[in-house]
Amino acid sequence: MDNSNNFESFTCPIPIGKRNEVSIGHGSGGSLTKSLVDSIFIKYFSNDILDQGNDFADITPVENTNDFRLVLSTDGHVVSPLFFPGGDIGRLAVAGTVNDISMSGGIPKFLTASFIIEEGFPIDQLEKIAESMKKCSEEAGVFIVAGDTKVVEKGKADRIFISTTGVGYVIKDLFINGTKAQPDDSVIISGTIGDHGIAVLAARNELGFSTTIISDVAPLNSLIQTSLKAAPHIHVLRDPTRGGVATTLNEIALQSNVKIVLDEEKLPIHKQVQGACDILGFDPLYVANEGKVLIIVPNNEEDAVLEALQKHPLGKDAAKIGVVESIENYPIVLMQTVIGGTRIVDMLTGEMLPRIC
Amino acid sequence: MDNSNNFESFTCPIPIGKRNEVSIGHGSGGSLTKSLVDSIFIKYFSNDILDQGNDFADITPVENTNDFRLVLSTDGHVVSPLFFPGGDIGRLAVAGTVNDISMSGGIPKFLTASFIIEEGFPIDQLEKIAESMKKCSEEAGVFIVAGDTKVVEKGKADRIFISTTGVGYVIKDLFINGTKAQPDDSVIISGTIGDHGIAVLAARNELGFSTTIISDVAPLNSLIQTSLKAAPHIHVLRDPTRGGVATTLNEIALQSNVKIVLDEEKLPIHKQVQGACDILGFDPLYVANEGKVLIIVPNNEEDAVLEALQKHPLGKDAAKIGVVESIENYPIVLMQTVIGGTRIVDMLTGEMLPRIC
């Protein structure tokens, strides 16, 4: 945080504010900022590094850099509504960045969090979000080591936005990235698709009917480390968030210069998600996920990774959904449909569901 | 960025948009996001690491961690207006995080940038901001290695917010932080105070008269490395941003459990800044700076650091402004005034100038 945090001896604590709302003064960098930081962020995030109370966090590597490389990732979070079935913006902010780091095959260690808050935002909601971030950080085994708080006038932001950045370590010789997909590789998804997008839509009351779908938002680092143990030659890991499975596979096809062929019949889709998509005219392949990973792996490790995934609580619905083939004219994603045809699965154009993450 | 960036072979580039404005689709994570990222962010920020095109940046340490520690810092930027005399939100976002890292005595190396953009924001302004970030990154010798773009509906954010996170290296045995101020240390400021706050106010036309004050926003890493060479036993470095010199010195007094006594006569203040403050009833001690550093140093290195600062273009107005003394009852900042009295200099309470950074 921009202010020092370990002021136990300070004899005149200033109350957060009279109205239980975030005020412009809470973003001043002065004593009101300190009271907000202490009473909410330090209360939940406290750890030895954060509590140093400087403008920087000293994260002296715990890993020897002869054995590990360092990876870095950032994400802004603007989801609306802030609270939805299965999660909230706090859980999303922690899990989202933990997952981006995990897609390198690496182990996330440290997070930073930058809060931009609208004047008048209820302190009790801020506390719920901080508590959720703490819980998710514990699940993922990461520490929030630095933060920042800004407050803007009423009407100049939509309640709260959170940007998180993560630092992680990856084993020196492990190079997993979007360029590594090869012909004959298998394409695996760790579970049902589209749950997050439909859960957020339901929370917005945009479905016109009720569902029991909950968001899949979860930190995937443990699932991925389990997969890597079972299948050490994984080529690509990527989480199909905004733009969904279709957009993510198109990115990989382009980066690796390959053709990817999906089998529609094999796509794991929750019945209620499929039902909601049918009514709304959405394709679940484009709906965002926040707790799923696409794994592209040599076919001789396909069984091992599927077995490992299915034993993990976050991977029980894992399935092989396609294969990588040699490029013909240009990188492309195709799908063999249930009625026996083949169609092109394009990248998302425009926007189907804004502010889903 | 959340999308791959090195798609030279992609034969059907999608135009940014018809209206030269950021649209909701630019935040979709799909092809419109890719076109915006490629045509603005990659155009200006391109480097080997960013161009990897993954959800994570591989920043394999360039420094041997037997010799260096790693430091991390984050800041959100919501300044209004976006462009002001001497800088803009882009320069602020890069310099602000470079400076936080530099306050450890470390050398900033890598930045991430998370953009939250209001629908309808002009693309040409976004490009100006990206260009300014590029220029400031080059000045500071840092690379933007990962980013994220979110777009919210018109009226749900105030044009653009930028959160930056920095990673840097600090020499293993160099421990500079807010707890190290000691009695008899000298308190030095690298130049005139309050310039940034008054320049932003002037840009908002809130002064009621015109000034030629420009913001001091600048990356301080070179100035600080120069100071450290001249005075290797510096105890504390901190940039007096939000809350100004008064709040920053109060934080240090609390962290180090000392008394700090300022000499009002010695405070370097630009005449126009003092004039604006007199008219508005502001105390320049509470006005934000974005290109100044407070240095607390053993008095036997005071001359060396002042000489080094004054030779540097960013430190020509550097001055000794006070001393550290032993604590009496509680940590406190006092000021000997020009009229011969002594007054308490408190931490900022409430907010004088919102959205200054």
Side-chain angles (χ1 to χ4, degrees), chain A residues 230-249:
Chain A
H233 300 98
I234 285 173
H235 286 152
V236 184
L237 291 164
R238 194 164 289 178
D239 52 341
T241 56
R242 280 186 297 179
V245 167
T247 302
T248 303
L249 288 179

Side-chain angles (χ1 to χ4, degrees), chain A residues 66-69 104 170-176 180 232-234, chain B residues 58:
Chain A
N66 292 325
D67 304 325
F68 290 89
R69 299 179 349 258
S104 67
V170 54
I171 292 170
K172 202 96 182 175
D173 302 322
L174 186 66
F175 290 95
I176 291 178
K180 305 263 173 186
H233 300 98
I234 285 173
Chain B
D58 192 327

Side-chain angles (χ1 to χ4, degrees), chain A residues 78 80 118 152 155-161 355, chain B residues 24 116-119 151-159 161:
Chain A
V78 299
S80 177
E118 184 186 11
V152 297
K156 298 296 187 186
D158 191 8
R159 295 160 290 166
I160 187 168
F161 303 139
R355 305 210 28 211
Chain B
I24 285 288
I116 295 173
I117 308 175
E118 184 187 12
E119 181 185 12
V151 180
V152 297
E153 306 90 325
K154 194 143 188 106
K156 298 296 186 184
D158 191 7
R159 294 159 293 165
F161 302 140

Side-chain angles (χ1 to χ4, degrees), chain B residues 292-336:
Chain B
K292 297 293 152 41
V293 57
L294 284 161
I295 302 179
I296 299 187
V297 64
N299 58 24
N300 63 354
E301 290 187 358
E302 171 195 317
D303 291 339
V305 76
L306 274 172
E307 196 187 340
L309 286 167
Q310 287 160 354
K311 276 186 191 158
H312 194 284
L314 295 176
K316 59 185 173 42
D317 297 318
K320 175 180 176 179
I321 59 170
V323 292
V324 180
E325 295 185 3
S326 298
I327 190 169
E328 282 162 31
N329 299 313
Y330 38 82
I332 196 167
V333 180
L334 298 175
M335 185 156 73
Q336 289 172 336

Side-chain angles (χ1 to χ4, degrees), chain A residues 55 57-58 65 69 73 149, chain B residues 55 58 65 69 72-73 242:
Chain A
D55 285 352
D58 192 329
T65 51
R69 299 179 349 258
S73 189
T149 313
Chain B
D55 285 351
D58 192 327
T65 51
R69 299 178 350 259
L72 196 58
S73 189
R242 280 187 297 180

